[in-house]
Amino acid sequence: MRTYTFHLPSDTIAGESHGVESAVLVPDGFSLRAFVFGPLWFFFHRLWLAGLGVLALLVAAGFAGRFLGLGTFAGFLITVLLLLLVGMEASSLRRWTYARRGRPARDAVVAHSAEEAEIKAVNRWLTAPPVVRSGPSAYPGAAVRPVDTALGMFPFAEPRRS
């Protein structure tokens, strides 16, 4: 069984089908394709910043190995270890990119396949009770209306001196 995260646009409301057609499932765990293809996997999934970061990391590791005078086998081992790290963190970088683009993770689903995860996530999303959103508040950060008096040692404002 594998865990999948369900990403939807921020303005999508639970219980409504609007926005579900653009939903994205991200599998959690090691990505063999990201391990094998490295930055190309990120570019294929339109993860430009993460792909450039991985590419810069691999190039920097290559130059550092050359500068330190490491042998061919040591350079190969370092590259394989870095790509192993990329394969383990690829899904986290993908989730981070989706959250940065306004598609936060809305649900997590455990399933045997991606199709089963999609069915479970969409059914759970559509059967959820809709969230009631209140109108705009005059005091958006406050739970109650602010009181005019000050707190502390000086409860009343002093007049300005000229």
Side-chain angles (χ1 to χ4, degrees):
M1 302 268 292
R2 194 167 194 181
T3 304
Y4 296 84
T5 53
F6 188 60
H7 296 263
L8 287 168
S10 297
D11 59 345
T12 306
I13 300 172
E16 292 185 7
S17 62
H18 174 71
V20 175
E21 65 275 356
S22 64
V24 178
L25 281 175
V26 178
D28 194 25
F30 183 76
S31 173
L32 183 62
R33 290 183 179 124
F35 170 71
V36 172
F37 297 111
L40 296 176
W41 181 87
F42 289 96
F43 296 143
F44 177 76
H45 288 284
R46 302 178 55 108
L47 308 173
W48 309 116
L49 290 178
L52 288 175
V54 168
L55 184 63
L57 177 71
L58 291 173
V59 168
F63 279 124
R66 181 68 65 152
F67 178 73
L68 294 174
L70 296 177
T72 307
F73 180 73
F76 173 74
L77 187 63
I78 289 173
T79 303
V80 167
L81 290 175
L82 284 175
L83 286 173
L84 187 66
L85 176 67
V86 166
M88 287 190 281
E89 293 298 323
S91 59
S92 296
L93 290 170
R94 193 171 174 192
R95 280 191 292 273
W96 171 75
T97 302
Y98 285 139
R100 193 177 53 80
R101 289 182 184 165
R103 295 173 155 266
R106 297 294 190 96
D107 198 4
V109 179
V110 178
H112 289 288
S113 66
E115 292 81 20
E116 181 185 353
E118 183 177 0
I119 291 169
K120 282 184 177 181
V122 170
N123 283 338
R124 194 181 314 179
W125 183 258
L126 293 177
T127 59
V131 177
V132 178
R133 294 185 180 179
S134 61
S137 171
Y139 306 100
V144 296
R145 186 172 186 264
V147 181
D148 294 330
T149 59
L151 297 175
M153 295 178 63
F154 307 103
F156 301 105
E158 293 181 10
R160 293 188 176 213
R161 296 181 188 160
S162 356

